[in-house]
């Protein structure tokens, strides 16, 4: 699995390098400096992906805490299962436990890098699975400040890159990389990502909206290592600078390589979640 | 002491001029610290209940400032391939408007429908260029039957539609943010018209309203206000026929204004719509002070005195009344500190400083300048009667006619005062030459008004909005709202739920009703919430824990009192139909309505109280309760007459008009003080009888009062020409009040004084008819 992951990223790197060469031919103005920034940004991002490949599948419990400017809070309780996919976005199954009136609702998503995700929702009150056809990638997940695209797995081919430089925060060295979404339905013009130079973990992301104003900042807090390999943050804090709202995710009970299969991520699996 | 000082000033005028110029420059340099704040928040104390309620609602949901493109297609049909494509492009471009958070239009409306077991959520208009005729008719059917769209985004007949952009201004620099948005929006409008020839675009919405306010004030500030100052200067020059005197007056006016504004800057004040009128008020005070001194000086010179002694004499006889006017005016304005609206306190304090500065300057640097500058006056031939003397004769001989006639006029006009309505209509602040006004009128006629109310209904518990009982109440409330005569549109969550219920049942119209259980409603909402794109989510309609929902109701353009009445009607519905839930009402226009009412009442009551206080002080200063009491009449009647006339010609009193009494307070008091003090001087010091004293007063202050009035009426009449009613109406009513004050002081006060003195005399000595003799026409000096 790990080997396959590497192979995939090598392939992508080659493709992207070729693409960048051809675009170089078109835009003569690109300087060597710009080319280097693009290549280094890509290299760092590929390394991020490589170091987090091979986890196969995962299970976790998530608490989602929504806060508004007034300080009012609301807590949602969710279980998430994910299945690592090679050559495409991951599959995930989300089961809602709280609020009580949506308990048992389940959401199945096959995320894709460049086209709309496939999504199904099971509503226990209707006892039916509904496929949702929507371009909601940029829309909020469960009314939170996280959008679907913020949740979905990081894939190298989702962005083009620009290395911005190094930054030292609290005696730790970070790469600063700018990422430009490829999908035109993305809600962002760009994201600026801080990646620590030791473990290649994302520590902070600034999101810029479609008119290129700073919209949100996501901070990863308290990284823990699981199975001796995979780092996951215990808490993710998203602050929306424009509306003053924020959402915190608190993750518990991470397990990896539970032996889940494709059969656990299809329409029938949705109804079996209880 | 004072004589010593005047002596010094007369001997060393240059030093006095330099010293006061230096002081003024130092003080005025504080003006650069003044910032103009157009934020409505400054109108409230931090603890104001309406402000806290409104701000908390803004924090719970999203703020609702908006810009509206009203797009009129060339063929009068929105539903053509070409026009829909244009709308789609405009919608996409609108996301680039600075500070925009959401764009709602016909094309990006999230249309939901069922296809077997799929729920399709997509833009109502997808690939506009390749729409078939049947696609277009499907889109039209969906649009004109969708309660969320019809009369808000698209007209029922489909001849006009709207692109509505929500804007959340950061509020860090409102003076820059609003024009920035307006500039961008205008560029989008021009682009659209260029690409879609034959179509028309109008711009409205709260941001454009704020922008129109700023632009109109700015325009008046750069054209009419300078023109007004210019007219004041020219009229002074023309009436006094002196260039040096006019120059000295203008200098004192400028120094008083610059000094007061500068001190305000040093003291950390900021400017607002209210305190920005301080310079105009200070202008009236400084002009009056200077003209009194000039007029007396000219009087002396005409009667043969040399310049130096004429100046000394003028200062001596004017010091007391000018001081009295200034101090009472200052106290009057300081009384505005009792106002609960902070900008009015600032206005009061700035003008009080300005009044005292104008006083100091007019008895120091002003005479110093006059003594340095060349001034020549023709000596008047002995025995020649001037106009004021003739007027005095007329008033005295016709007093038995004037007193009742003017009294009746005043009473009749005062009777009309209650016919005035305390009211503000922000749209009508602009006449139809202003694009914002014509855009908003067009929108009102074809779609909806500009008045929005945000209605937050609270269930009181988390997830409570999904309770079937709660939903039923909200639905009934929405229906009731739609039945109100002023309602154009209601945006409510219950419409979304009904549509989703229908979608979940294979689009069967029979299922267009509310879900029956809490779980079902919650899960529909989850489904819907999970399928919306960026910026079109439910965050504007639901709070975080889903304990409350917000309806947005759009009404015809309503005045502030209509809005307040509507707000009360909504409360009443809730009290009798759903006492278990709480309703919060707020919106920018609703807020303004409340502040407006409050500030109008507080400023009217405040200034009337100030005038009464001033009369009491005058009673002390003139050492006569009797004359203090009499001074109430010329102090209060001008405003009564002016507002009576206003009831007949307009009848709407908005925020700007409530300032008029304050605006004219100084000048009205000035008229009274000068006339009364000269009259009393003649009675007490010269032993004149009442008629003689009237003559004396006319001769000594009649000219100055006449000139001051003419100068200011001319100035404010210029301001009355503004297309911005805030300035225009204020200018007009101020001119009326100042004119009324002069008429009362000239034609009503003298007959009254004579009549009262006669009554007193009759009581005292039973000897009468002393004043029946024709009065000597020359003042005794």
């Amino acid at each position: 699995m790990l080997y396959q992951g590497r192979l995939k990223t090598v392939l992508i790197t080659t493709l992207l390098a070729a693409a960048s060469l051809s675009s170089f031919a078109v835009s003569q103005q690109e300087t060597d400096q710009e080319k280097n920034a693009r290549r280094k940004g890509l290299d760092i991002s590929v390394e991020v992906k490589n170091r987090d490949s091979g986890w196969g599948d995962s299970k976790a419990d998530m608490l989602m805490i929504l806060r508004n400017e007034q300080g009012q809070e609301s807590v949602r309780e969710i279980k998430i299962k994910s299945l690592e996919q090679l050559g495409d976005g991951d599959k995930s199954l989300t089961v809602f436990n709280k609020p009580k009136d949506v308990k048992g609702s389940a959401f199945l998503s096959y995320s894709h890098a460049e086209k709309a995700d496939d999504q199904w929702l099971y509503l226990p009150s209707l006892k039916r699975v509904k496929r949702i056809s929507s371009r909601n990638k940029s829309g909020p997940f469960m009314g939170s400040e996280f959008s679907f695209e913020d949740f979905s797995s990081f894939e190298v081919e989702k962005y083009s890159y620009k290395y911005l430089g190094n930054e030292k925060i609290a005696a730790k060295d970070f790469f600063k990389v700018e990422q430009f979404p490829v999908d035109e339905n993305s809600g962002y013009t760009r994201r600026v990502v801080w990646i620590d130079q030791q473990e290649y973990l994302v520590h902070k992301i600034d999101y810029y909206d479609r008119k290129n104003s700073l919209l949100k900042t996501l901070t990863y807090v308290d990284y823990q290592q699981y199975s001796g390999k995979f780092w996951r943050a215990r808490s993710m804090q998203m602050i929306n600078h424009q509306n003053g709202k924020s959402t915190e995710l608190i993750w518990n009970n991470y397990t990896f390589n539970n032996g889940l299969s494709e059969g656990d991520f299809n329409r029938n699996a949705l109804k079996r979640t209880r | 002491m004072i004589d010593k000082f005047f002596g010094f000033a007369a001997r060393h005028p240059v030093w006095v001029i330099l010293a006061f110029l230096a002081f003024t420059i130092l003080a005025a340099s504080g003006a650069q610290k003044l910032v103009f704040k157009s934020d409505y928040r400054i109108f409230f104390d931090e603890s104001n209940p309406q402000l806290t309620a409104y701000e908390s609602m803004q924090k719970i949901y999203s703020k609702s400032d908006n810009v509206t493109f009203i797009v009129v297609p060339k063929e009068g049909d929105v539903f053509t391939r070409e026009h829909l494509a244009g709308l789609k492009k405009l919608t996409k471009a609108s996301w680039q408007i600075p500070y925009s958070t959401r764009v709602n239009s016909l094309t990006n409306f999230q249309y939901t429908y069922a296809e077997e077991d799929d729920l399709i959520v997509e833009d109502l208009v997808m690939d506009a260029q390749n729409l078939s005729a049947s696609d277009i008719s499907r889109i039209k059917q969906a649009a004109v039957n969708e309660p969320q769209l019809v009369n808000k985004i698209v007209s029922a007949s489909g001849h006009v539609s709207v692109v509505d952009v929500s804007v959340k201004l950061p509020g860090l620099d409102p003076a820059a943010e609003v024009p920035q948005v307006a500039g961008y929006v205008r560029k989008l409008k021009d682009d659209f018209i260029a690409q879609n020839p034959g179509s028309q675009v109008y711009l409205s919405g709260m941001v454009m309203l704020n922008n129109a306010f700023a632009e109109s004030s700015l325009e008046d500030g750069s054209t009419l206000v300078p023109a007004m100052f210019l007219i004041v200067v020219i009229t002074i020059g023309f009436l006094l026929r002196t260039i040096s005197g006019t120059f000295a007056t203008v200098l004192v006016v400028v120094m008083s204004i610059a000094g007061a504004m500068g001190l305000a800057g040093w003291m950390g004040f900021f400017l607002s719509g209210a305190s920005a009128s301080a310079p105009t008020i200070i202008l009236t005070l400084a002009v009056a002070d200077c003209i009194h001194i000039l007029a007396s000086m000219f009087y002396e010179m005409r009667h043969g005195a040399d310049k130096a002694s004429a100046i000394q004499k003028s200062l001596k006889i004017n010091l007391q009344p000018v001081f009295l006017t200034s101090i009472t005016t200052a106290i009057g304005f300081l009384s505005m500190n009792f106002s609960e609206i902070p900008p009015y306190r600032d206005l009061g304090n700035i003008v009080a400083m300005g009044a005292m500065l104008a006083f100091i300057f007019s008895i120091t640097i002003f005479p110093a300048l006059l003594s340095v500058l060349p001034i020549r006056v023709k000596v008047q031939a002995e025995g020649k009667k001037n106009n004021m003397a003739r007027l005095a004769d007329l008033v005295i001989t016709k007093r038995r006619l004037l007193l009742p006639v003017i009294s009746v006029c005043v009473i009749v006009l005062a009777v009309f005062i209650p016919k005035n309505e305390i009211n503000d209509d922000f749209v009508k602040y602009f006449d139809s030459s202003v694009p914002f006004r014509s855009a908003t009128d067009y929108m009102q006629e074809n779609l909806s008004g500009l008045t929005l109310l945000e209605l937050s209904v609270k269930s009181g518990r988390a997830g409570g909005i999904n309770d079937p009982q709660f939903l039923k109440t909200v639905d009934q409330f929405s229906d009731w709202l739609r039945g109100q005569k002023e309602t154009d549109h209601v945006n409510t969550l219950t419409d979304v739920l009904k549509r989703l219920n229908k979608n979940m049942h294979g689009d069967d119209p029979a299922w267009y009703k509310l879900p029956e259980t809490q779980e079902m409603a919650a899960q529909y909402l989850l489904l819907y919430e999970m399928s919306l794109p960026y910026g079109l989510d439910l965050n504007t309609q639901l709070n975080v824990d889903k304990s409350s929902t917000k309806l947005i109701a759009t009404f015809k353009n309503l005045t502030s009192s209509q809005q307040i009445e509507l707000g009360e009607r909504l409360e009443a519905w809730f009290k009798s139909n759903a006492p278990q839930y709480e309703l919060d009402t707020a919106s920018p226009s609703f807020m303004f309505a409340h502040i407006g009412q409050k500030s109008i009442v507080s400023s009217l009551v405040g200034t009337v109280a100030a005038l009464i206080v001033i009369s009491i002080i005058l009673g002390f200063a003139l050492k006569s309760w009797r004359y203090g009491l009499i001074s109430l009449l010329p102090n209060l009647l001008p405003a009564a007459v002016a507002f009576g006339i206003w009831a007949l010609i307009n009848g709407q009193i908005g925020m700007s008009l409530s300032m008029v009494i304050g605006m004219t307070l100084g000048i009205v008091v000035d008229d009274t003080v000068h006339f009364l003090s000269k009259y009393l001087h003649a009675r007490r010091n010269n032993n004149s009888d009442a008629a003689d004293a009237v003559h004396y007063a006319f001769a000594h202050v009649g000219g100055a009062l006449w000139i001051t009035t003419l100068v200011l009426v001319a100035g404010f009449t210029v301001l009355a020409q503004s297309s911005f009613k805030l300035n225009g109406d204020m200018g007009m009513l101020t001119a009326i009040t100042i004119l009324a004050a002069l008429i009362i002081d000239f034609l009503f006060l003298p007959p009254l004084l004579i009549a009262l003195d006669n009554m007193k005399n009759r009581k005292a000595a039973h000897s009468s008819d002393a004043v029946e003799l024709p009065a000597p026409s020359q003042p005794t000096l």
Side-chain angles (χ1 to χ4, degrees):
Chain A
M1 189 90 67
L2 191 66
Y3 167 74
Q4 279 178 333
R6 283 275 152 82
L7 185 71
K8 185 182 104 187
T9 37
V10 168
L11 198 70
I12 291 160
T13 317
T14 324
L15 276 173
L16 285 172
S20 56
L21 273 176
S22 63
S23 72
F24 176 63
V26 180
S27 73
Q28 297 287 341
Q29 289 96 327
E30 189 182 34
T31 61
D32 282 354
Q33 208 183 353
E34 285 169 343
K35 196 165 71 183
N36 288 340
R38 192 148 45 80
R39 191 161 286 164
K40 184 153 189 200
L42 174 67
D43 288 346
I44 294 166
S45 305
V46 168
E47 185 62 21
V48 169
K49 184 68 188 173
N50 279 344
R51 291 202 185 195
D52 191 45
S53 289
W55 46 268
D57 65 73
S58 72
K59 285 186 186 177
D61 295 342
M62 181 180 90
L63 278 184
M64 180 188 259
I65 305 164
L66 276 60
R67 295 189 180 97
N68 66 13
E69 225 178 339
Q70 185 83 338
Q72 292 170 333
E73 267 189 18
S74 173
V75 179
R76 273 127 223 227
E77 212 179 284
I78 293 162
K79 279 182 187 302
I80 296 186
K81 291 184 212 171
S82 303
L83 188 65
E84 193 179 23
Q85 295 288 302
L86 304 169
D88 201 353
D90 299 335
K91 293 182 176 178
S92 70
L93 184 71
T94 309
V95 182
F96 304 102
N97 271 337
K98 257 187 192 166
K100 217 177 75 202
D101 50 18
V102 297
K103 188 176 166 69
S105 303
F107 180 70
L108 174 65
S109 159
Y110 298 173
S111 74
H112 303 296
E114 286 171 63
K115 55 172 188 152
D117 299 346
D118 292 307
Q119 301 167 330
W120 297 265
L121 189 65
Y122 172 70
L123 302 183
S125 66
L126 270 185
K127 298 190 177 59
R128 297 275 276 277
V129 174
K130 290 278 174 187
R131 195 174 78 85
I132 307 171
S133 166
S134 162
R135 298 186 183 182
N136 59 359
K137 199 171 256 186
S138 59
F141 181 82
M142 247 194 134
S144 73
E145 295 311 313
F146 285 85
S147 69
F148 284 91
E149 58 182 321
D150 302 338
F151 260 112
S152 65
S153 56
F154 174 72
E155 308 295 335
V156 175
E157 55 274 55
K158 280 184 176 176
Y159 304 94
S160 62
Y161 300 89
K162 185 179 171 188
Y163 167 71
L164 294 177
N166 293 337
E167 210 172 286
K168 214 180 183 93
I169 303 171
K172 230 175 164 181
D173 288 310
F174 291 91
F175 297 118
K176 213 171 141 186
V177 178
E178 204 168 16
Q179 307 180 332
F180 304 89
V182 173
D183 187 346
E184 65 157 14
N185 284 315
S186 167
Y188 312 119
T189 48
R190 62 192 174 104
R191 343 189 291 173
V192 175
V193 185
W194 281 258
I195 298 158
D196 89 87
Q197 298 186 1
Q198 205 106 58
E199 296 288 345
Y200 283 78
L201 300 176
V202 173
H203 276 256
K204 190 170 106 170
I205 306 177
D206 277 346
Y207 297 87
Y208 290 83
D209 68 10
R210 284 176 183 162
K211 54 184 186 300
N212 205 11
S213 310
L214 179 61
L215 175 64
K216 304 186 288 194
T217 299
L218 172 61
T219 318
Y220 292 78
V221 181
D222 191 11
Y223 267 105
Q224 305 277 324
Q225 200 172 26
Y226 297 88
S227 315
K229 265 187 277 190
F230 312 114
W231 292 92
R232 291 291 182 271
R234 285 261 296 151
S235 156
M236 294 160 72
Q237 293 163 3
M238 181 74 93
I239 294 169
N240 186 320
H241 302 290
Q242 291 182 7
N243 66 17
K245 292 180 188 169
S246 65
T247 300
E248 183 178 4
L249 305 183
I250 296 170
W251 298 88
N252 284 306
N253 308 325
Y254 262 115
T255 53
F256 292 88
N257 286 317
N258 303 288
L260 298 177
S261 68
E262 296 287 338
D264 296 302
F265 294 88
N266 62 24
R267 292 181 61 136
N268 291 330
L270 270 178
K271 299 187 205 172
R272 289 186 264 115
T273 54
R274 284 215 210 223
Chain B
M1 225 294 279
I2 280 183
D3 282 345
K4 251 187 205 159
F5 175 78
F6 286 147
F8 173 81
R11 282 191 304 278
H12 308 284
V14 179
W15 284 112
V16 171
I17 293 170
L18 288 179
F20 279 97
L21 273 181
F23 164 78
T24 308
I25 289 168
L26 204 67
S29 65
Q32 61 199 358
K33 291 178 180 290
L34 284 175
V35 221
F36 190 91
K37 291 198 185 172
S38 57
D39 191 345
Y40 61 82
R41 283 181 185 82
I42 57 163
F43 279 94
F44 300 87
D45 281 326
E46 300 265 312
S47 60
N48 182 289
Q50 274 138 328
L51 180 70
T52 38
Y54 181 67
E55 296 211 314
S56 103
M57 179 125 63
Q58 291 208 328
K59 283 174 185 163
I60 293 168
Y61 305 101
S62 306
K63 197 177 168 181
S64 73
D65 280 346
N66 69 325
V67 175
T68 311
F69 295 89
I70 304 143
V71 190
V72 190
K74 85 181 147 190
E75 305 288 330
D77 183 12
V78 171
F79 300 97
T80 65
R81 203 170 295 140
E82 194 191 348
H83 189 71
L84 290 175
L87 276 180
K88 195 151 176 88
K89 210 169 154 193
L90 178 61
T91 305
K92 192 169 180 217
S94 295
W95 283 105
Q96 296 294 326
I97 294 168
Y99 318 116
S100 62
T101 55
R102 185 184 180 101
V103 180
N104 283 320
S105 80
L106 193 59
T107 59
N108 78 352
F109 174 70
Q110 291 303 294
Y111 180 52
T112 58
Y113 59 98
E115 219 166 65
E116 294 177 18
D117 251 353
D118 294 357
L119 175 75
I120 321 279
V121 182
E122 62 183 23
D123 288 358
L124 181 57
V125 179
M126 292 289 283
D127 183 8
Q129 305 288 0
N130 300 312
L131 290 173
S132 66
S134 73
D135 287 337
I136 289 181
S137 94
R138 175 186 58 87
I139 288 169
K140 181 169 180 172
Q141 279 317 303
V144 299
N145 290 310
E146 173 53 52
Q148 280 191 288
L149 293 179
V150 79
N151 284 338
K152 177 76 181 174
I153 297 291
V154 67
S155 67
S157 64
H159 74 297
V160 57
S161 82
V162 145
V163 176
D164 191 55
V165 186
S166 301
V167 172
K168 179 153 180 160
L169 300 173
L172 302 174
D173 185 6
E177 289 160 7
V178 168
Q180 191 191 351
V181 173
Y184 197 94
V185 165
R186 283 177 181 151
K187 196 175 86 41
L188 286 185
K189 169 190 162 170
D190 293 344
D191 291 350
F192 183 88
I193 293 173
Q195 287 163 15
N196 301 275
S199 50
Q200 186 52 262
V201 177
Y202 301 100
L203 297 171
S204 185
M206 284 310 287
V207 175
M208 297 313 286
L209 171 65
N210 289 338
N211 188 60
F213 263 100
E215 280 184 353
S216 291
S217 321
L218 209 65
E219 199 184 300
D220 281 358
S222 61
T223 55
L224 281 177
V225 173
M228 170 190 170
F229 275 68
L230 193 69
I231 288 289
V232 165
V233 171
I234 291 172
T235 319
I236 295 174
F238 180 76
L239 290 175
L240 289 174
R241 295 176 192 285
T242 159
I243 292 172
S244 304
T246 308
F247 170 77
T249 306
V250 170
L251 195 73
V252 169
V253 169
V254 170
M255 284 173 67
S256 308
I257 294 174
M261 300 313 277
L263 287 177
W266 286 120
M267 292 160 85
F269 288 31
F270 54 81
L271 284 184
S272 64
S275 53
S277 50
T280 320
I281 304 180
I282 297 172
L283 164 91
T284 67
L285 303 173
V287 163
D289 290 349
C290 291
I291 285 180
H292 280 295
I293 291 167
L294 260 186
S296 300
M297 170 187 157
F298 282 14
Y299 180 91
E300 298 299 331
M301 286 173 79
R302 267 199 298 273
H303 289 85
D306 68 301
K307 193 169 81 172
S309 58
I311 292 174
Q312 289 303 310
K313 179 99 192 187
S314 169
L315 283 179
K316 207 174 160 193
I317 57 176
N318 279 304
L319 184 66
Q320 196 225 10
V322 170
F323 173 73
L324 206 53
T325 306
S326 302
I327 194 79
T328 49
T329 305
I331 291 171
F333 275 96
L334 285 176
S335 73
M336 283 188 166
N337 278 302
F338 293 110
S339 165
E340 51 187 313
I341 299 159
Y344 286 95
R345 292 178 225 155
D346 293 349
L347 173 73
N349 292 328
I350 297 175
V351 174
M353 286 192 289
M356 291 324 288
L357 285 179
F359 165 69
I360 293 168
F361 292 148
S362 60
I363 60 158
T364 53
I365 188 169
F366 187 65
L369 275 168
L370 292 177
S371 66
V372 172
L373 296 169
I375 288 174
R376 222 170 279 151
V377 173
K378 254 200 265 169
V379 175
Q380 203 178 33
E382 277 298 316
K384 189 186 162 196
K385 274 196 174 184
N386 68 11
N387 291 333
M388 278 303 138
R390 277 199 288 275
L391 181 62
D393 286 342
L394 186 78
V395 170
I396 292 164
T397 47
K398 300 271 188 237
R399 64 175 198 275
R400 292 194 195 285
L401 182 68
L402 283 172
L403 193 58
V405 167
I406 305 256
S407 303
V408 169
C409 285
V410 169
I411 291 166
V412 166
L413 286 170
V415 165
F416 284 102
I417 295 176
K419 285 193 80 96
N420 281 305
E421 206 186 340
I422 290 186
N423 212 348
D424 256 330
D425 185 341
F426 293 104
V427 175
K428 296 221 172 82
Y429 270 1
F430 307 94
D431 74 17
S432 44
S433 70
V434 179
F436 167 78
R437 172 74 190 271
S438 47
T440 307
D441 284 352
Y442 184 90
M443 185 164 84
Q444 157 112 316
E445 278 155 33
N446 293 282
L447 277 160
S448 68
L450 192 66
T451 312
L452 284 185
L453 282 189
E454 298 175 12
L455 304 159
S456 174
V457 188
K458 300 176 181 171
S459 71
R461 63 182 180 87
I465 57 134
N466 292 313
D467 176 1
Q469 186 55 44
F470 180 83
L471 287 172
K472 207 175 138 205
T473 306
V474 172
D475 194 41
Q476 284 166 351
F477 180 56
S478 310
D479 285 346
W480 174 82
L481 257 180
R482 286 187 172 125
Q484 301 305 297
K485 61 182 187 304
E486 53 274 84
T487 309
D488 280 327
H489 184 260
V490 177
N491 186 7
T492 169
L493 187 70
T494 51
D495 286 343
V496 175
L497 281 168
K498 286 181 192 171
R499 194 178 70 218
L500 287 170
N501 203 12
K502 186 182 84 164
N503 296 152
M504 287 296 131
H505 292 89
D507 279 345
D508 178 357
W511 283 91
Y512 188 81
K513 57 183 185 186
L514 290 171
E516 276 151 15
T517 65
Q518 160 112 18
E519 285 71 25
M520 198 166 272
Q523 290 167 25
Y524 284 176
L525 269 190
L526 175 71
L527 171 70
Y528 187 58
E529 227 178 10
M530 296 283 272
S531 48
L532 294 173
Y534 173 73
L536 297 175
D537 52 73
L538 291 175
N539 282 335
T540 50
Q541 279 174 275
L542 296 173
N543 69 340
V544 282
D545 66 354
K546 297 196 166 58
S547 63
S548 63
T549 179
K550 185 174 80 178
L551 289 82
I552 300 173
T554 311
F555 303 96
K556 299 187 170 27
N557 296 334
L558 300 180
T559 66
S560 56
S561 49
Q562 287 168 328
Q563 285 187 51
I564 289 168
E565 188 272 322
L566 177 66
E568 283 162 0
R569 217 184 314 151
L570 302 180
E571 290 285 343
W573 188 93
F574 255 80
K575 210 164 259 172
S576 56
N577 292 283
Q580 71 272 39
Y581 305 124
E582 204 185 317
L583 175 74
D584 270 354
T585 309
S587 82
S589 55
F590 195 61
M591 280 277 290
F592 278 122
H594 273 280
I595 327 164
Q597 291 310 80
K598 211 168 197 172
S599 81
I600 292 166
V601 173
S602 110
S603 122
L604 287 176
V605 172
T607 38
V608 167
L611 282 168
I612 293 171
V613 170
I614 287 172
S615 291
I616 296 172
I617 296 171
L618 286 182
F620 275 107
L622 300 173
K623 297 187 190 78
S624 158
W625 283 108
R626 185 180 157 80
Y627 285 100
L629 213 59
I630 292 173
S631 76
L632 267 177
L633 289 173
N635 278 351
L636 288 174
L637 292 184
V641 168
F643 278 94
I645 294 175
W646 192 252
L648 295 174
I649 59 177
N650 186 309
Q652 302 284 309
I653 298 179
M655 264 210 259
S656 67
L657 289 194
S658 66
M659 301 286 302
V660 166
I661 303 184
M663 204 76 152
T664 55
L665 183 144
I667 205 72
V668 167
V669 171
D670 181 83
D671 288 356
T672 312
V673 167
H674 280 276
F675 200 94
L676 271 185
S677 65
K678 285 292 172 298
Y679 175 85
L680 271 178
H681 177 82
R683 292 280 286 151
R684 286 174 181 163
N685 300 6
N686 302 353
N687 272 327
S688 311
D689 61 25
D692 272 352
V694 165
H695 249 289
Y696 179 85
F698 265 106
H700 280 87
V701 296
L705 297 185
W706 165 247
I707 291 169
T708 315
T709 303
L710 214 61
V711 164
L712 295 176
V713 167
F716 281 102
T717 308
V718 172
L719 200 61
Q721 308 311 310
S722 175
S723 66
F724 184 36
K725 296 245 171 83
L726 205 61
N727 287 334
D729 287 355
M730 193 263 289
M732 190 169 187
L733 192 59
T734 303
I736 294 175
T737 312
I738 294 176
L739 199 61
L742 186 74
I743 293 172
I744 285 168
D745 280 311
F746 274 9
L747 305 184
F748 173 76
L749 185 59
L752 179 73
L753 289 171
I754 295 172
L756 288 173
D757 270 3
N758 284 350
M759 246 161 65
K760 195 174 153 195
N761 288 346
R762 251 183 234 122
K763 266 190 207 153
H766 298 282
S767 70
S768 59
D769 284 0
V771 286
E772 280 297 319
L773 297 166
S777 54
Q778 272 310 110
T780 39
L781 258 175

